[in-house]
Amino acid sequence: MSGGRRYKYIVLLVLCFLTWGVVYAQRVALVLSGGGAKGLAHIGVIQALEEHNIPIDYVAGTSMGAIVGGMYASGFSVEEMKEHFHSKEFSSWLTGEIEEKYQFYYKKEDPDSEWINVKFDMDSVLTFSFVPTNIIAPYQMDFAFLQHFSQPGAACLYDFDKLMVPFRCVASDIENNRAYICRSGDLGSAIRASMSFPFYFKPVTINGKVMMDGGMYNNFPVDIVLEDFHPDVVIGSAVAGNYKKPSNDDMVSMLRTIFMTHTDYVIEDSLGVLLEPDVKFLELLDFSRIDEIIDSGYVATKRKIGAIKERIAREVTPAEVSLKRSIFKSHFPPLLFQNINPIGLKPRQASYVSLLLKQEADVLTLSQLKPNYFRLIADDKISSVYPRCRFNPGSGYFDIFLDVVPAKDLTVSIGGNIASSAATQAFLGVRYKHLNNYSWTFSGNFYMGSFYNSIALKARLEYPTDLPFFADFEGVINSWDYFSTSRYFVGDKSPSFLVRKDNNLRFSFGVPVSSNSKMALDLVLSDLTDSYYHTNAFTRRDTSDATVFSNFSLGLFVQKNTLNRKNMATEGESYLASLRYISGLEGYTPGSTSLYSKPFYDQHRLVQLHLKYRRYFEPFKSITTGVYGEALFSSRRLFSNYMASKIEAPGFSPLPQSDLLFIPEYRGYNWLGMGVVGIVKIWSFFELRSDLFTFIPYREIIEVEDQLPAMSSPFHSQYLGGALSLIFNNSFVPVNLSVSYYPKTEESLQFLVNIGYLIFNKSSHF
């Protein structure tokens, strides 16, 4: 061979070698770090890579990187991911709030003044739960993972190498103190485990092991893609960093150091390219700037697209990616469910759960399954539910497996109210739950204070038939001590202007009307005893008048409540429509301030219709408005004297603090009350709230000669009022500083500092 030909062969061989190296080095892995909200920048990274025809042959991620990477590997396009993270569904992941139509109001207990509770198991009283495992309820998120990842998981035969793009994510096996690499199994559970940040989201179980956020051990799994996929080029998107040195004055920094090991957010030049989107301005769960976060990833990738293309000559067009996505999705089986299997329960408990889920058809769609799932979550006899599903090739449908954990038997609650007035009170509650093929709840509570004292005992039976029903048996002893303003808890026994006692026994039977409303019949036996003076000028030697109204009533009511708080709500809607027949005997015993000396008795029979409505709107992001109205129509007759007539007249309470006051002008037999509210979120947990309200009695109860009552002419008076409140609302207990104004009343201006909840046990008729 001549020298010239030999030279040509050598050059050709070198070119072939170089070309082979360029063509071969095309297998590209994308690694996505954890980082909470910052991880949305990964979407912008993927968008820029696709626009510039950069192939993504493998993807791995941790925490939020696992969510974005898992969605991409499952066939989500960039636009579909953007749409999802802007959706209300994703917002519910962050808040844990369940959609209004799935709240199942008929299963909720009556609100009380609880601040905190401790839960016990009766078989081991020393086994109790005090510190919650999660701040955010996971149920919306868990169902969404089932919805979005069941079909991709079935299409890849539960082998993550067979997804549209081979995928890995990292979770933390806290039992064995090591990283756990998810390569197969339930796709939704793998991703859910990877993003279960300690204390924020409840851990999940995989293969019998409790799993938490993968960032605890490996927040940037470059080593995993190198070990599992052997790519030639690695593109890494790092949006997280290691936490600063802990401070002995900062518990959060110490906990972060305990839970999160050091991660090297680097990619050697010989391996690939590191992208670092500028997201330092964000907190872990600040999802308020989604577009800005995504754009940061897009910009960071565009800046390094030249360096990326220098390493990767192979191109994959968006059209090719779209075709690949369509082919993968064509293998999705229909999202239809056949068998629902509760796991972790005793046989009779499983029977109750199966009835509660009420599988009405042999095959369920997602929209049919969802209300059943949330009906189970709403049951207070159930502590937690985690859904998984598996495709059954034999039937062609998915089978659902629900990991159900029964609630602990015994709950002890403490709480109450601390106020600048005499309304300070302590609260203690106890609740025992028994779950069999039906459920019983036995509860009791005790309020103690200078203004309000009460004891209540209640038993509730629930049976999940085709039309579920509940039956309540309740006994309550109530006592309100008005105008005892010189005492802040218990102590001084100076006589009060008015002491009202309401002792009642109640039996109720009801059914749900919809997921967030109920209808019930109740029978109430009660004794209303009022001790009062006809004037404020009385001494310790004076004796009070006493009016006793012993009665029974039969009522029918429909009620809805989706309000987001027990007091001072900012979202939701509530209404009450109650029709009641009341029959009873009035007994009057005069005291030393009465003009009369003989007892008096009278029979009363009446019908009463009570209507109540409240709703909130959010016209702007930080501004909420609301409306409320209340009306009473009754055939009630006057009692023996003016004071007794006013006391027995139901009152309008536009504000929670209104219940602390006896305002004669805001009471009557037929009236209309209504108001508007404006709420401005001024900073973090702080809200400024204003109320304007009016009370319009049809015929006002007035005092004529000799302490006798009479009815005024129609629409004789109208009362306007308002209130301004600064509220610090947090997850533990609210704090309220308020000033209220009730014109034309004896004490028109009222100031109150209140910590806790102004909530009382049920009264007899109202």
Side-chain angles (χ1 to χ4, degrees):
M1 183 180 294
S2 66
R5 292 185 66 188
R6 184 183 298 113
Y7 175 76
K8 291 179 180 179
Y9 276 116
I10 291 172
V11 172
L12 182 61
L13 184 63
V14 171
L15 289 173
C16 287
F17 176 78
L18 292 174
T19 303
W20 175 84
V22 172
V23 173
Y24 174 75
Q26 304 303 307
R27 309 308 294 175
V28 181
L30 178 63
V31 179
L32 308 176
S33 77
K38 301 176 184 181
L40 293 181
H42 301 322
I43 299 173
V45 171
I46 294 171
Q47 180 181 356
L49 292 176
E50 284 193 348
E51 286 180 1
H52 288 85
N53 301 335
I54 306 300
I56 300 173
D57 300 300
Y58 315 103
V59 64
T62 297
S63 197
M64 180 56 79
I67 296 177
V68 174
M71 294 177 78
Y72 184 74
S74 298
F76 279 77
S77 68
V78 167
E79 291 306 315
E80 286 172 333
M81 285 191 279
K82 288 181 179 180
E83 182 181 349
H84 170 76
F85 287 110
H86 277 291
S87 68
K88 288 185 178 180
E89 178 191 291
F90 178 70
S91 298
S92 71
W93 294 15
L94 307 176
T95 62
E97 294 178 1
I98 295 174
E99 295 173 70
E100 181 178 310
K101 61 183 177 182
Y102 299 127
Q103 290 186 3
F104 295 97
Y105 173 61
Y106 80 96
K107 284 189 158 293
K108 294 183 179 180
E109 290 284 341
D110 294 326
D112 56 34
S113 294
E114 175 191 301
W115 290 10
I116 58 174
N117 63 63
V118 182
K119 298 178 181 179
F120 300 86
D121 273 328
M122 290 295 286
D123 55 357
S124 178
V125 176
L126 295 179
T127 302
F128 65 92
S129 173
F130 182 74
V131 179
T133 58
N134 52 288
I135 297 173
I136 299 171
Y139 305 117
Q140 288 272 34
M141 179 169 55
D142 292 343
F143 193 85
F145 277 49
L146 179 96
Q147 175 182 346
H148 295 307
F149 296 116
S150 294
Q151 289 170 295
C156 74
L157 304 178
Y158 303 100
D159 178 356
F160 298 171
D161 284 339
K162 297 177 181 178
L163 287 162
M164 186 191 89
V165 176
F167 170 69
R168 296 288 184 271
C169 66
V170 183
S172 294
D173 179 350
I174 62 173
E175 181 179 336
N176 296 306
N177 297 317
R178 61 179 178 84
Y180 178 87
I181 314 306
C182 303
R183 299 180 173 93
S184 62
D186 185 78
L187 179 60
S189 295
I191 298 171
R192 171 70 169 78
S194 183
M195 53 75 60
S196 297
F197 193 83
F199 299 117
Y200 280 93
F201 302 111
K202 190 177 181 67
V204 299
T205 301
I206 296 178
N207 298 328
K209 305 293 184 182
V210 177
M211 300 289 172
M212 281 188 171
D213 194 292
M216 294 171 62
Y217 292 105
N218 189 344
N219 206 33
F220 193 45
V222 174
D223 57 327
I224 304 305
V225 298
L226 293 174
E227 178 183 339
D228 281 20
F229 300 133
H230 309 290
D232 297 288
V233 179
V234 177
I235 300 173
S237 176
V239 296
N242 293 299
Y243 292 112
K244 296 179 181 179
K245 184 179 178 180
S247 166
N248 59 3
D249 295 323
D250 186 349
M251 177 59 69
V252 173
S253 71
M254 289 187 281
L255 288 173
R256 283 172 172 170
T257 304
I258 292 170
F259 285 112
M260 310 299 286
T261 58
H262 181 86
T263 296
D264 291 323
Y265 296 96
V266 296
I267 295 177
E268 296 178 9
D269 289 339
S270 60
L271 296 176
V273 179
L274 177 65
L275 307 173
E276 296 180 282
D278 183 11
V279 288
K280 296 176 183 177
F281 55 88
L282 282 171
E283 295 295 327
L284 180 71
L285 293 176
D286 182 5
F287 288 90
S288 62
R289 301 155 77 176
I290 292 175
D291 290 330
E292 190 176 345
I293 303 169
I294 293 173
D295 188 61
S296 68
Y298 183 81
V299 170
T301 308
K302 292 275 285 186
R303 286 174 179 165
K304 288 197 173 184
I305 205 69
I308 295 171
K309 285 193 170 187
E310 285 179 5
R311 292 175 176 270
I312 305 169
R314 171 175 157 243
E315 293 190 349
V316 176
T317 66
E320 291 175 296
V321 175
S322 180
L323 177 61
K324 183 180 179 181
R325 182 176 293 118
S326 298
I327 292 172
F328 179 69
K329 288 186 173 182
S330 69
H331 293 94
F332 283 11
L335 195 56
L336 299 172
F337 306 92
Q338 187 168 58
N339 298 312
I340 303 177
N341 305 286
I343 300 170
L345 299 171
K346 297 175 182 178
R348 290 188 177 182
Q349 294 175 335
S351 173
Y352 173 84
V353 168
S354 296
L355 286 170
L356 197 64
L357 292 169
K358 64 174 186 178
Q359 187 170 341
E360 298 172 347
D362 181 55
V363 177
L364 299 176
T365 63
L366 187 77
S367 60
Q368 290 171 320
L369 173 68
K370 193 170 185 177
N372 293 341
Y373 168 77
F374 282 105
R375 184 181 294 109
L376 181 59
I377 293 215
D379 197 296
D380 65 351
K381 268 68 69 181
I382 303 299
S383 174
S384 66
V385 181
Y386 184 75
R388 309 172 199 263
C389 71
R390 190 86 177 182
F391 182 67
N392 185 338
S395 66
Y397 303 115
F398 288 91
D399 292 333
I400 294 286
F401 300 90
L402 299 175
D403 294 327
V404 182
V405 178
K408 293 185 181 295
D409 302 329
L410 189 64
T411 301
V412 177
S413 306
I414 59 173
N417 189 67
I418 301 172
S420 57
S421 69
T424 295
Q425 60 196 32
F427 169 82
L428 175 66
V430 179
R431 183 178 296 114
Y432 172 72
K433 305 166 186 175
H434 176 71
L435 179 59
N436 216 309
N437 49 6
Y438 49 86
S439 82
W440 278 99
T441 301
F442 302 93
S443 61
N445 67 48
F446 173 60
Y447 288 86
M448 182 180 69
S450 58
F451 169 70
Y452 178 67
N453 291 274
S454 180
I455 297 174
L457 297 174
K458 181 178 178 180
R460 181 182 179 94
L461 170 67
E462 291 183 35
Y463 198 81
T465 55
D466 288 340
L467 178 62
F469 70 84
F470 62 89
D472 291 337
F473 309 86
E474 188 172 8
V476 181
I477 298 174
N478 287 315
S479 176
W480 290 270
D481 190 348
Y482 291 96
F483 295 144
S484 183
T485 55
S486 63
R487 293 179 276 134
Y488 284 88
F489 203 62
V490 291
D492 181 26
K493 295 298 182 183
S494 60
S496 301
F497 178 76
L498 166 63
V499 176
R500 182 165 176 76
K501 295 181 178 180
D502 180 347
N503 304 331
N504 61 80
L505 293 173
R506 183 187 306 267
F507 168 72
S508 304
F509 178 87
V511 296
V513 177
S514 67
S515 60
N516 45 44
S517 62
K518 63 183 179 181
M519 177 173 64
L521 278 168
D522 68 6
L523 174 66
V524 182
L525 305 176
S526 73
D527 274 315
L528 300 172
T529 303
D530 302 308
S531 302
Y532 52 91
Y533 298 88
H534 290 273
T535 174
N536 286 329
F538 59 89
T539 68
R540 292 175 182 268
R541 289 188 293 272
D542 282 315
T543 57
S544 61
D545 286 26
T547 295
V548 178
F549 185 43
S550 299
N551 64 90
F552 78 91
S553 69
L554 185 65
L556 171 68
F557 64 87
V558 179
Q559 191 170 17
K560 172 184 176 178
N561 191 336
T562 61
L563 299 180
N564 63 330
R565 297 176 188 165
K566 294 190 282 189
N567 281 157
M568 297 295 190
T570 59
E571 297 175 14
E573 178 185 34
S574 69
Y575 65 71
L576 169 70
S578 170
L579 181 64
R580 184 172 297 280
Y581 170 76
I582 304 170
S583 177
L585 178 65
E586 172 196 2
Y588 169 64
T589 302
S592 60
T593 62
S594 174
L595 298 178
Y596 304 93
S597 58
K598 293 183 179 180
F600 175 83
Y601 299 92
D602 192 14
Q603 186 74 36
H604 292 263
R605 295 183 179 88
L606 62 126
V607 177
Q608 175 178 288
L609 175 64
H610 181 205
L611 304 174
K612 198 171 184 180
Y613 182 76
R614 181 177 291 263
R615 187 174 180 182
Y616 294 93
F617 309 88
E618 190 177 15
F620 305 103
K621 188 174 181 179
S622 298
I623 298 177
T624 299
T625 60
V627 295
Y628 51 91
E630 192 170 354
L632 184 80
F633 308 95
S634 75
S635 59
R636 190 183 296 261
R637 294 188 295 108
L638 293 167
F639 271 50
S640 58
N641 60 71
Y642 168 75
M643 277 301 300
S645 299
K646 276 289 188 181
I647 294 168
E648 287 298 326
F652 174 53
S653 296
L655 312 167
Q657 54 266 38
S658 301
D659 288 325
L660 304 178
L661 307 171
F662 179 76
I663 308 177
E665 292 81 2
Y666 279 67
R667 306 176 80 86
Y669 294 162
N670 293 276
W671 49 259
L672 174 66
M674 51 191 171
V676 294
V677 58
I679 305 165
V680 179
K681 188 173 183 180
I682 53 177
W683 180 70
S684 190
F685 298 106
F686 286 90
E687 299 163 0
L688 189 63
R689 181 186 186 108
S690 62
D691 284 79
L692 294 173
F693 49 83
T694 183
F695 177 72
I696 308 171
Y698 170 59
R699 299 181 69 187
E700 191 172 7
I701 302 170
I702 58 175
E703 183 175 12
V704 292
E705 58 195 28
D706 299 333
Q707 301 172 347
L708 295 177
M711 304 301 292
S712 72
S713 58
F715 303 110
H716 176 266
S717 301
Q718 178 178 346
Y719 299 90
L720 297 173
L724 186 65
S725 304
L726 178 64
I727 302 167
F728 173 63
N729 193 75
N730 56 80
S731 58
F732 179 56
V733 59
V735 181
N736 182 8
L737 288 76
S738 67
V739 55
S740 307
Y741 184 51
Y742 305 90
K744 303 181 186 178
T745 64
E746 186 172 334
E747 296 184 21
S748 58
L749 199 60
Q750 298 286 332
F751 296 92
L752 183 69
V753 179
N754 190 75
I755 303 172
Y757 300 101
L758 290 169
I759 296 174
F760 310 114
N761 285 323
K762 286 181 181 177
S763 59
S764 294
H765 304 146
F766 198 59

